[in-house]
């Protein structure tokens, strides 16, 4: 196939490289995977604002265009257009920046030549609408990827209470679903949640997230970590690495840390987020010397950290556990490590893990049972290895980058 015959996909995403966050990593890999499957790719995103890693900015510098109205960069041969979006403290400034990003995204999007598809992931919900406008103007197909269900997530968080605004957002959501050429979602729970919102259910497909098994894999020996982590003290390491926010339930973690204070166990929490300061204060006030909190680390270092830890944990806030699926579960399984998961019955995470025998699932009496599960795994190396190996086998079979990206490629080809 000659280069001019390749179908071209515009990925329109809130985050993309060099931003260092899970959705950016996911779509970095989707972009590269689509190229491997015979497509051209161009990206429309924001300026890096979520998790700035200086080494990534050096590798992928962004260049000012039209006096800073927008920027451009190159990601492994892929053109990336960056529209400014900043994290202002002022609500008014954040709103203005958000509106600016939408308006200029549309203008830049329709100026990009020779595209055949627009692929956009949630959140935010509004990105699906701008992608639809770009697709309609260009006469191409729009595909919307539901990573989180909006406005449901905002409602369940308690951040959205106006019945008028809720009604408008629900109509907005249905409009995006029904006017997209296709909608993908990540699991059966999400699928079942939104099916009634479609007039043509054949548009809705399940395509799970995936993991880069070339980057995330078991390591036979522990590699050296940066000096910030200190020397190995021989304690069992139980790890959480990711966003430290309201989506997580920190009560079982603090309870377990208190109960296990005198035992040979140490909690590592790595990341940033709105709950980090709260967590640091609680750790200090409760004298939890067995809890260590670190800043975000580079993506290249996370596989080493994943392998260094003995056990991983994910604890989901009960009010939000139906609305999201933490993609880190794939990377943990790919490193052949066991997971302790605190979540309710029939949530996306529970349904994914329940029959894979790679985790300890805590669905009730969260504080006590989480602590029991830690003790159980901490002192049973054989069980840890069994659960880890089961998870690794599942990833290789069904959730590798090659397997899942081919599903996106097949969907685009079918359209």
């Amino acid at each position: 196939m000659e280069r001019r015959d390749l179908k071209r996909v515009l990925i329109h995403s809130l985050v993309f490289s060099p931003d260092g966050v899970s959705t950016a990593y996911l779509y970095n890999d989707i972009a590269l995977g689509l190229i491997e499957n015979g497509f051209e790719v161009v990206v429309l995103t924001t300026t890096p604002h979520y998790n700035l890693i200086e080494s990534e900015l050096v590798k992928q510098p962004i260049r000012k265009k039209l006096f800073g109205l927008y920027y451009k960069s190159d990601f492994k041969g892929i053109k990336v257009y960056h529209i400014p979006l900043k994290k202002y403290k002022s609500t008014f400034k954040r709103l203005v920046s958000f509106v600016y990003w939408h308006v200029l995204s549309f203008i830049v999007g329709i100026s990009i030549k020779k595209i055949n598809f627009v692929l956009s992931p949630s959140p935010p919900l509004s990105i699906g609408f701008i992608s639809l406008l770009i697709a309609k103007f260009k006469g191409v197909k729009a595909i919307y990827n539901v990573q989180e269900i909006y406005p449901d997530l905002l409602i369940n968080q308690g951040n959205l209470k106006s019945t008028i605004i809720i009604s408008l957002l629900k109509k907005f959501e249905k409009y995006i679903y029904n006017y997209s050429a296709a909608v993908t979602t990540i699991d059966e729970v999400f699928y079942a949640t939104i099916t009634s919102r479609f007039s043509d259910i054949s548009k809705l497909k399940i395509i799970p997230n995936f993991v880069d098994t070339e980057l995330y894999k078991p390591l036979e020996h522990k590699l050296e970590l940066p000096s910030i982590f200190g020397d190995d003290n021989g304690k069992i390491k139980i790890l959480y690495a990711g966003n430290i926010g309201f989506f997580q339930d920190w009560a079982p973690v603090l309870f377990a840390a208190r109960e296990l204070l005198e035992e040979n166990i140490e909690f590592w929490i790595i990341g940033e987020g709105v709950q980090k300061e709260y967590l640091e204060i609680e750790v200090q006030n409760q004298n939890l010397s067995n809890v260590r909190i670190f800043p975000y680390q580079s993506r290249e270092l996370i596989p080493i950290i994943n392998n260094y830890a003995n056990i991983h944990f994910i604890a989901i806030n009960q009010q939000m556990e139906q609305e999201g699926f933490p993609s880190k579960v794939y990377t943990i399984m790919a490193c052949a490590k066991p997971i302790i998961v605190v979540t309710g019955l029939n949530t996306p995470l529970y349904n994914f893990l329940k029959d894979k025998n790679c985790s300890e699932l805590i669905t009730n009496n969260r504080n006590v049972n989480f602590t029991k599960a830690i003790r159980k795994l901490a002192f049973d190396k054989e069980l840890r290895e069994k659960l880890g190996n089961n998870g690794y086998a599942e990833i290789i079979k069904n959730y590798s980058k090659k397997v899942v990206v081919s599903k996106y490629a097949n969907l685009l080809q079918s359209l």
Side-chain angles (χ1 to χ4, degrees):
M1 182 182 290
E2 294 183 12
R3 193 72 179 170
R4 67 174 183 272
D5 295 327
L6 297 181
K7 297 296 183 182
R8 197 176 199 206
V9 182
L10 170 63
I11 290 177
H12 183 201
S13 175
L14 180 67
V15 287
F16 195 83
S17 181
D19 228 334
V21 64
S22 58
T23 302
Y25 296 143
L26 173 69
Y27 267 81
N28 297 347
D29 287 338
I30 288 176
L32 295 172
L34 288 175
I35 290 174
E36 291 173 3
N37 278 271
F39 292 87
E40 284 188 339
V41 174
V42 61
V43 176
L44 177 61
T45 186
T46 60
T47 46
H49 67 284
Y50 196 95
N51 176 35
L52 305 181
I53 300 174
E54 289 301 323
S55 59
E56 296 302 312
L57 293 170
V58 171
K59 286 191 287 187
Q60 187 184 336
I62 61 173
R63 303 177 300 278
K64 186 182 294 186
K65 297 292 179 180
L66 291 180
F67 308 102
L69 284 175
Y70 72 99
Y71 296 76
K72 286 181 72 175
S73 71
D74 180 279
F75 173 69
K76 300 184 179 181
I78 298 171
K79 288 183 180 178
V80 184
Y81 294 83
H82 302 269
I83 310 302
L85 181 64
K86 297 182 179 180
K87 282 185 172 181
Y88 292 107
K89 290 185 178 180
S90 163
T91 301
F92 176 74
K93 286 183 178 179
R94 284 203 306 270
L95 181 61
V96 170
S97 181
F98 198 61
V99 171
Y100 176 87
W101 172 61
H102 282 73
V103 172
L104 209 63
S105 290
F106 172 71
I107 294 170
V108 172
I110 63 175
S111 72
I112 298 173
K113 297 178 180 178
K114 299 178 182 177
I115 61 173
N116 304 95
F117 305 99
V118 183
L119 171 61
S120 57
S122 68
L125 180 64
S126 51
I127 200 172
F129 180 70
I130 299 300
S131 294
L132 272 178
L133 292 182
I134 294 171
K136 185 173 180 61
F137 190 92
K138 303 288 284 186
V140 302
K141 307 281 179 112
I143 301 93
Y144 185 57
N145 174 216
V146 180
Q147 291 285 328
E148 295 174 354
I149 302 175
Y150 281 83
D152 298 40
L153 184 59
L154 294 175
I155 295 168
N156 293 334
Q157 284 179 335
N159 295 333
L160 193 59
K161 296 179 181 178
S162 167
T163 54
I164 295 175
I165 294 176
I166 289 172
S167 176
L168 288 173
L169 286 177
K170 283 185 175 293
K171 289 178 181 177
F172 193 45
E173 178 196 21
K174 287 184 179 180
Y175 179 89
I176 293 167
Y177 291 164
N178 288 291
Y179 281 89
S180 295
V183 177
T184 67
T185 192
I186 58 176
D187 80 340
E188 293 178 359
V189 174
F190 278 24
Y191 183 95
T193 301
I194 64 176
T195 47
S196 62
R197 305 171 195 184
F198 285 79
S199 56
D200 179 5
I201 194 58
S202 67
K203 286 185 176 184
L204 181 59
K205 315 290 182 184
I206 297 176
I207 300 182
N209 288 337
F210 58 87
V211 61
D212 184 346
T213 51
E214 295 176 5
L215 176 65
Y216 294 96
K217 57 188 177 184
L219 300 176
E220 293 183 1
H221 57 280
K222 290 184 178 180
L223 301 180
E224 187 175 345
L225 293 177
S227 58
I228 187 176
F229 293 97
D231 296 328
D232 191 350
N233 56 15
K235 292 188 176 183
I236 295 291
K237 306 293 190 299
I238 174 165
L239 170 71
Y240 172 84
N243 183 56
I244 304 174
F246 292 111
F247 187 71
Q248 292 75 37
D249 184 357
W250 298 109
V253 181
L254 294 170
F255 178 89
R258 290 194 300 271
E259 291 293 306
L260 302 170
L261 190 58
E262 302 302 322
E263 300 190 28
N264 193 42
I265 294 170
E266 189 170 72
F267 293 78
W268 283 17
I269 299 171
I270 300 174
E272 304 292 340
V274 293
Q275 286 285 81
K276 185 173 183 178
E277 184 178 359
Y278 156 78
L279 204 58
E280 289 173 331
I281 291 171
E282 287 297 313
V283 167
Q284 183 176 1
N285 289 345
Q286 298 183 41
N287 296 314
L288 299 176
S289 58
N290 57 347
V291 178
R292 302 180 66 194
I293 303 175
F294 303 96
Y296 262 127
Q297 302 299 308
S298 69
R299 190 192 189 199
E300 287 73 20
L301 192 58
I302 293 299
I304 299 172
I305 296 171
N306 277 4
N307 277 278
Y308 191 88
N310 303 102
I311 306 164
H312 292 250
F313 74 90
I314 300 172
I316 308 297
N317 186 319
Q318 287 178 285
Q319 280 68 50
M320 300 179 227
E321 57 191 9
Q322 290 289 353
E323 270 56 71
F325 184 98
S327 58
K328 67 177 60 62
V329 69
Y330 296 108
T331 61
I332 297 166
M333 291 167 66
C335 293
K337 289 295 179 175
I339 323 170
I340 301 175
V341 174
V342 182
T343 186
L345 291 168
N346 298 318
T347 62
L349 191 52
Y350 175 86
N351 287 344
F352 175 75
L353 291 170
K354 65 182 180 181
D355 58 355
K356 294 182 172 54
N357 195 23
C358 65
S359 63
E360 290 286 324
L361 288 170
I362 311 302
T363 59
N364 57 54
N365 198 6
R366 290 178 164 221
N367 291 355
V368 172
N369 286 338
F370 179 57
T371 306
K372 286 181 179 178
I374 294 172
R375 282 198 176 105
K376 177 181 176 181
L377 287 182
F379 304 110
D380 192 338
K381 183 178 180 182
E382 186 176 333
L383 178 58
R384 294 202 304 267
E385 291 178 351
K386 178 184 175 181
L387 297 181
N389 289 334
N390 289 343
Y392 177 70
E394 181 70 24
I395 288 294
I396 295 302
K397 182 180 178 181
N398 295 313
Y399 299 96
S400 69
K401 180 173 66 173
K402 183 177 181 181
V403 170
V404 176
V405 173
S406 67
K407 295 182 180 181
Y408 278 100
N410 292 338
L411 174 61
L412 295 175
Q413 289 163 356
S414 73
L415 294 175

